[in-house]
Amino acid sequence: MAMTKMGQPALRGTNEVPFALEELFYSRTDTRGVIQSGNEIFRRTAGFEWSEMIGAPHKIVRHPDTPRAVFRVLWDALKKGYPMGAYVKNKAKGGGWYWVFAVVMPIEGGYLSVRLKPTSELSDEIHQLYRDLSARERAESLDPEESATLLRDFAERGGYSSYTAFMAYALALELTERDRRLNRNADENTRMLAELNTAMGRLTKEQFGLLRSFEALQSVPNNMRIVASRLEPSGGPVSAISENYKASSAVISERLRKFVAGRGNLCGQMAFQVARAVFQLGCARVLNEMSTNFMGEEAQNDQPREDERALLQSLVAKGTADANAAMRQAAELADDMMNQSRDIRRQLLGLDTIRVLGRVECGRMRDANGGLAATIDQLDSFHDDIKGRLEAILALSEEIEHWLGRYLRAGRSAA
């Protein structure tokens, strides 16, 4: 029977297979997912002999409770050349199971994965999500892409700009909780990255809220024009005010769509670069620790550990360099976002002038305004909401630029 690091038997059957919090799993496969190498922790926890693992497909540890959606999202990223993270429930030989948080990345000739023990509160939420999603996959015969859409929707409902952003947050959370439980000093780099990713999520929410407010605002000038048709001849002052307001707000609304919606929008570009950087740096930290762990492990199956360590160190260097490049690009985008936010705020002042003219005209008509006062009140409410969101966006953009600048000035690395 396999033994844990603490000398206790690893339980099989329908039980969870234990492994220590400080232990990391390692495996490397070819392009078909066939296992080329691994570490003793992976072999021991999975319950196989080396002769059974090397040359076997990695899916020998796939547990049916892990939704197919997880692997679809994972492979979508890997095929594009990006690393990706995933919570995975694996099975052991004999029927036992164990949970890991995996970071997986493409390498020359295949793929590499390092896994850690998930312990954050988020992992409990993921367990329930997977149960529900697996049940739907079976009950509704969902194909992997349909199921993957549900998984991405879950991330977006949580306020994340993408599934990558969600996994970046999850990795930072798991590393922080792991440090706490192992009584390690809090890693400043990990904390900073988590703060950055969280701020980016709040910014995304505010920007889409701003767009929705502007979209809703488009109906108000129409209401004003209807009121005007009852109060004055065609072409009167209220009609002119409504037309001017509609034209000016439409210009701002179109600019906002390019700002926060549609393909290649500024907000999406920045969110992608931030998520990419945060996840890459989290991966680099895990890979660096895995490389150190290999120093104390004997070679398996006549494969030298030094080769694996060299590969891991090259990936640490590459991941850190890619993350730094993404951080620099995100910093440029953050600066652009602040400038555009200020421009939109200035344009809103022009709308305020038109709105005030409407309020003056409403006062001139007094009790005979026929609903104009209520329409202007709507404008007041929308303007207050929009101004509040613009101020929040500027503050968050400045916060994000601060974290990015702090990181780049410090010249941080994953080591």
Side-chain angles (χ1 to χ4, degrees):
M1 180 180 290
M3 305 293 286
T4 68
K5 188 175 182 180
M6 305 305 293
Q8 299 297 316
L11 303 177
R12 302 299 177 195
T14 58
N15 299 304
E16 181 174 6
V17 181
F19 61 96
L21 181 58
E22 66 269 23
E23 294 182 315
L24 294 173
F25 289 58
Y26 174 84
S27 60
R28 177 171 54 80
T29 74
D30 64 13
T31 56
R32 299 171 299 158
V34 174
I35 299 172
Q36 302 293 299
S37 180
N39 70 335
E40 175 60 22
I41 295 161
F42 176 35
R43 186 210 64 77
R44 186 201 72 218
T45 308
F48 293 92
E49 299 299 328
W50 283 123
S51 59
E52 298 175 288
M53 294 189 73
I54 302 301
H58 209 285
K59 66 182 180 182
I60 61 171
V61 296
R62 182 180 294 188
H63 197 288
D65 285 354
T66 301
R68 291 182 297 164
V70 174
F71 299 106
R72 172 55 67 93
V73 172
L74 191 64
W75 282 110
D76 282 350
L78 294 175
K79 289 176 181 177
K80 293 174 183 175
Y82 299 126
M84 179 52 75
Y87 287 94
V88 181
K89 183 178 182 180
N90 281 335
K91 69 178 180 181
K93 185 178 180 180
W97 52 269
Y98 57 94
W99 280 93
V100 295
F101 183 90
V103 294
V104 189
M105 60 206 64
I107 59 174
E108 185 177 355
Y111 306 96
L112 180 148
S113 174
V114 177
R115 282 91 75 195
L116 55 85
K117 190 181 188 73
T119 54
S120 73
E121 291 183 358
L122 177 61
S123 65
D124 294 331
E125 187 177 355
I126 292 295
H127 293 179
Q128 183 59 55
L129 169 68
Y130 280 17
R131 281 192 290 271
D132 295 343
L133 194 51
S134 293
R136 285 195 62 178
E137 284 182 347
R138 291 188 291 269
E140 301 174 29
S141 298
L142 297 178
D143 65 40
E145 188 53 43
E146 289 175 318
S147 186
T149 298
L150 296 175
L151 192 58
R152 294 185 181 102
D153 288 346
F154 172 83
E156 290 180 8
R157 287 197 302 274
Y160 301 97
S161 58
S162 66
Y163 196 77
T164 299
F166 177 48
M167 286 295 100
Y169 166 76
L171 179 54
L173 200 65
E174 294 298 344
L175 289 173
T176 300
E177 181 62 15
R178 187 167 180 264
D179 287 341
R180 187 186 71 80
R181 295 191 183 211
L182 291 174
N183 295 315
R184 296 175 176 175
N185 292 329
D187 183 77
E188 176 64 17
N189 200 28
T190 301
R191 185 189 72 81
M192 183 189 69
L193 293 173
E195 292 282 356
L196 176 60
N197 207 43
T198 298
M200 190 67 240
R202 298 203 310 269
L203 178 63
T204 301
K205 280 185 175 180
E206 288 292 347
Q207 287 173 322
F208 279 103
L210 179 62
L211 182 60
R212 285 193 297 270
S213 293
F214 257 101
E215 293 294 341
L217 190 66
Q218 301 307 300
S219 65
V220 179
N222 292 331
N223 295 338
M224 192 184 299
R225 191 167 59 252
I226 292 171
V227 170
S229 67
R230 297 197 300 264
L231 296 175
E232 61 186 13
S234 177
V238 177
S239 297
I241 290 169
S242 68
E243 290 300 327
N244 287 339
Y245 192 97
K246 183 177 181 179
S248 298
S249 63
V251 170
I252 300 176
S253 183
E254 181 59 29
R255 184 169 183 179
L256 275 174
R257 288 191 191 95
K258 295 177 181 178
F259 190 44
V260 303
R263 193 176 184 86
N265 69 82
L266 183 61
C267 176
Q269 290 181 59
M270 190 171 85
F272 173 76
Q273 295 299 337
V274 168
R276 176 172 166 243
V278 171
F279 189 74
Q280 287 273 22
L281 288 169
C283 286
R285 183 185 165 192
V286 174
L287 296 178
N288 198 57
E289 184 177 338
M290 185 71 250
S291 174
T292 301
N293 291 353
F294 265 139
M295 294 176 67
E297 183 176 318
E298 295 181 0
Q300 50 87 3
N301 202 38
D302 296 325
Q303 298 185 39
R305 299 286 82 186
E306 194 56 37
D307 288 352
E308 306 295 343
R309 290 191 67 239
L311 173 60
L312 287 165
Q313 283 301 310
S314 70
L315 291 172
V316 169
K318 181 181 184 302
T320 303
D322 287 348
N324 289 342
M327 287 284 197
R328 287 190 290 272
Q329 189 167 352
E332 292 175 3
L333 291 166
D335 185 61
D336 191 11
M337 184 169 292
M338 284 192 292
N339 289 333
Q340 292 207 32
S341 294
R342 293 188 183 104
D343 285 345
I344 291 172
R345 186 171 60 180
R346 283 192 290 269
Q347 286 182 311
L348 188 63
L349 291 176
L351 279 185
D352 274 336
T353 301
I354 301 172
R355 176 175 59 89
V356 169
L357 290 174
R359 177 66 69 187
V360 169
E361 194 64 25
C362 177
R364 186 184 65 78
M365 293 181 173
R366 297 178 183 174
D367 294 338
N369 58 54
L372 184 58
T375 303
I376 300 299
D377 288 343
Q378 275 188 299
L379 288 179
D380 291 345
S381 177
F382 279 124
H383 276 233
D384 288 343
D385 178 69
I386 290 166
K387 287 177 183 176
R389 291 190 184 278
L390 277 172
E391 290 304 319
I393 287 169
L394 277 167
L396 285 166
S397 296
E398 289 173 357
E399 180 183 345
I400 289 167
E401 190 176 50
H402 163 76
W403 285 116
L404 291 166
R406 182 176 170 182
Y407 175 89
L408 293 169
R409 285 192 300 273
R412 295 181 184 276
S413 71

